[in-house]
Amino acid sequence: MRMQFWRETIDEIYNEKPPHHPVALELSKAVQRHKLTKRWLSRVIDEREKNLDDRAYRNIKELETYAENTQSSLLYLTLETLGVRDVHADHAASHIGKAQGIITCLRAVPFHSSKRHVFLPVDICILHGASQEDFIRGSQERNVKDVIFDIASQAHVHLEHARSFQNKVHKASFPAFNVTVPLDGYLKRLRKSDFNIFFPSLQRRDPWLPLSLYIQSWRKIY
């Protein structure tokens, strides 16, 4: 019902008849001001609806697809609010969104495990012989760390791919890509913890994040 409400709301917004709902009204203003593409908003709703049962991803590809249709779609919309409609920026947004979705999945492991839920890609868990129970009891065995290493490595690959054509991306796009700062920070801390996803420092906020965001913004990089 929630997804249907938002699907109908999006239709009404693009028909210039937004419902009297605070979020819908603000979204309508943004759509009118920035000419936001309806497809990106609809794709987020459609993908979330397919995953309402919160089941584990069958493989890393399925996780990447979910991230592309949600996180990347939001980045495409952010680019549009910045007035950027460029194929290279969209390409970067696609890979950064996938990295963000993968890392979000990793960061949530301790919380989900405490609730006896595991959503990590099943194929990678099977490859390393790691069971759901291993994560639920917070195992720090090598096979559990290997699962985390493989998944984190895929996120790193996407970030590096996005940066490989950084010179082709218009500088106006870079504010949308500041999300790479916390993503990078998490991957570095994960590496320092030897890919122990339950390491206490990984659950704390990065005190240097504001400074890191400022430096990246000043250097005009992502």
Side-chain angles (χ1 to χ4, degrees), residues 45-58:
I45 297 169
D46 292 341
E47 188 64 30
R48 184 66 188 121
E49 186 175 50
K50 289 190 291 186
N51 200 43
L52 285 177
D53 56 352
D54 287 328
R55 56 181 171 75
Y57 299 100
R58 290 175 295 181

Side-chain angles (χ1 to χ4, degrees), residues 3 24 26 28 34 39 46-47 61 70 79-80 84 89 92 111 117 119 123 138 141 168 184 200 202 208:
M3 296 301 104
E26 290 302 314
S28 179
H34 302 291
R39 179 161 60 101
D46 292 341
E47 188 64 30
K61 181 66 177 176
T70 54
L79 288 172
E80 291 183 347
V84 177
F111 173 78
H117 296 303
F119 301 117
D123 62 336
E141 297 299 322
K168 298 179 182 178
D184 260 338
L202 293 174
W208 299 104

